[in-house]
């Protein structure tokens, strides 16, 4: 079975918010992604509202016909919004004011009670509760104890190792293989615990192939590379390109 692709369309909103105007439309982008074969749409409602806005969630909930995953911090404000919008899934993420992008996984161990409370509220509303975590056994164990349905493995360290020029050096292969091994072991552990496994952060149509060969990973959440490619080749083609890369990775295991 091929892993699903949820396209993160945050940076469509980033372009729109640069001029505080109405275009490009995140709704139109979501529809194009679905038309191109995406299995779902992901957006991150940040506390500073730097890109996705509350009204975007309301609009997307009405038009997305596949699967809507909303990334958000584990705060009272965000839990209220989740209860109102009722996305298919909420992925709880770490969030720091001023960061350029999410800098790593949620520390479930250090924030266990708060995370467990949020997971409980999501479950009460029939929302899939996913936790974005680093590929570390203690975080996965804590996610299980907190009652999460799913974990999303942060692939940032792997992605960084594969980026040029570092990714072109032979000695870098040792680091790449080490990070892939971390992801493999983390995915296997989560699956043994009955958790669904997703992955994302910094993945591109080039480096996703190796990660897609990890059979426990059922879902990818990828945004920046798809939107960056869309500027050059169009959104639908960029989505199809990513789907094909994920399929190539999975086929390599068969």
């Amino acid at each position: 079975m091929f892993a699903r692709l949820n396209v993160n369309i945050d940076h469509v909103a980033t372009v729109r918010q640069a001029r505080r105007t109405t275009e490009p439309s995140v709704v139109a982008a979501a529809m194009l992604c679905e038309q191109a074969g995406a299995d779902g749409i992901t957006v991150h409602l940040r506390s500073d509202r730097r890109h996705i806005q509350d009204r975007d969630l309301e609009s997307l909930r009405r038009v997305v016909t596949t699967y809507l995953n909303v990334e958000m911090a584990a705060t009272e404000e965000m839990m209220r919004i989740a209860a109102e919008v009722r996305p298919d899934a909420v992925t709880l993420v770490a969030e720091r004011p001023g960061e350029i992008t999410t800098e790593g996984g949620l520390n479930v161990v250090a924030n266990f009670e708060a995370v467990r409370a949020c997971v409980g509220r999501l479950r009460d509303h029939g929302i899939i509760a996913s936790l974005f975590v680093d590929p570390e056994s203690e975080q996965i164990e804590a996610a299980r104890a907190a009652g999460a349905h799913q974990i999303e493995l942060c692939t940032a360290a792997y992605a960084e190792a594969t980026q040029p020029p570092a990714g072109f050096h032979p000695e870098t292969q040792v680091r790449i293989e080490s990070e892939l091994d971390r992801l493999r072991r983390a995915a296997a552990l989560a699956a043994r615990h009955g958790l669904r496994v997703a992955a994302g952060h910094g993945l591109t149509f080039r480096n996703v192939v190796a990660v897609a060969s990890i059979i426990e990973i059922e879902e990818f959440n990828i945004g920046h590379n798809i939107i960056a490619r869309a500027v050059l080749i169009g959104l639908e083609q960029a989505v199809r390109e990513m789907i094909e890369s994920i399929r190539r990775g999975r086929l390599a295991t068969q």
Side-chain angles (χ1 to χ4, degrees):
M1 182 180 295
F2 294 121
R4 301 182 300 275
L5 171 65
N6 298 334
V7 179
N8 186 314
I9 57 173
D10 288 350
H11 293 311
V12 175
T14 298
V15 175
R16 180 195 65 195
Q17 294 304 111
R19 293 288 294 270
R20 300 294 193 272
T21 183
T22 59
E23 60 181 9
S25 164
V26 295
V27 167
M31 295 174 70
L32 284 171
C33 290
E34 290 186 320
Q35 182 174 308
D39 300 288
I41 302 298
T42 293
V43 292
H44 183 173
L45 184 68
R46 298 186 66 102
S47 59
D48 62 10
R49 307 304 197 271
R50 69 175 64 170
H51 37 57
I52 295 297
Q53 306 296 303
D54 297 58
R55 65 180 181 274
D56 293 325
L57 293 191
E58 298 164 4
S59 298
L60 289 168
R61 179 65 291 180
R62 288 195 298 270
V63 304
V64 169
T65 61
T66 51
Y67 180 86
L68 180 61
N69 171 43
V70 180
E71 300 174 343
M72 51 178 49
T75 65
E76 177 62 31
E77 176 195 25
M78 292 300 162
M79 290 303 98
R80 288 199 303 269
I81 292 171
E84 293 170 2
V85 176
R86 300 291 179 93
D88 297 293
V90 163
T91 301
L92 298 179
V93 301
E95 190 174 299
R96 184 180 66 81
E99 64 186 2
I100 294 175
T101 185
T102 304
E103 296 176 340
L106 179 66
N107 191 336
V108 185
V109 175
N111 301 282
F112 182 77
E113 292 302 331
V115 172
R116 182 168 66 173
C118 288
V119 167
R121 292 175 67 173
L122 294 172
R123 294 182 72 112
D124 287 345
H125 290 295
I127 300 169
I128 294 170
S130 180
L131 305 182
F132 183 70
V133 298
D134 291 324
E136 300 170 353
S137 59
E138 61 268 28
Q139 298 298 338
I140 294 168
E141 298 283 0
R144 176 197 186 195
H149 297 98
Q150 174 177 288
I151 60 158
E152 180 177 348
L153 295 173
C154 177
T155 55
Y158 163 76
E160 181 182 348
T162 64
Q163 291 302 305
F168 297 144
H169 293 288
E171 58 267 28
T172 308
Q173 289 303 312
V174 175
R175 181 182 171 200
I176 291 172
E177 286 304 317
S178 174
E179 291 301 333
L180 280 172
D181 187 57
R182 287 180 71 208
L183 292 168
R184 291 187 193 103
R185 286 186 283 108
L189 175 62
R192 286 198 300 271
H193 285 326
L195 294 165
R196 302 176 190 174
V197 185
H201 201 75
L203 294 175
T204 71
F205 75 98
R206 295 183 182 89
N207 66 20
V208 73
V209 178
V211 184
S213 71
I214 302 172
I215 60 173
E216 291 88 357
I217 296 177
E218 304 175 18
E219 171 186 303
F220 287 93
N221 291 284
I222 304 175
H224 184 269
N225 182 246
I226 292 174
I227 303 305
R229 294 287 292 165
V231 172
L232 303 177
I233 65 174
L235 183 55
E236 290 181 87
Q237 182 58 32
V239 172
R240 293 190 186 105
E241 181 181 70
M242 188 64 73
I243 291 171
E244 178 58 27
S245 291
I246 292 170
R247 286 178 174 170
R248 283 197 291 116
R250 191 50 57 93
L251 284 171
T253 67
Q254 299 177 2

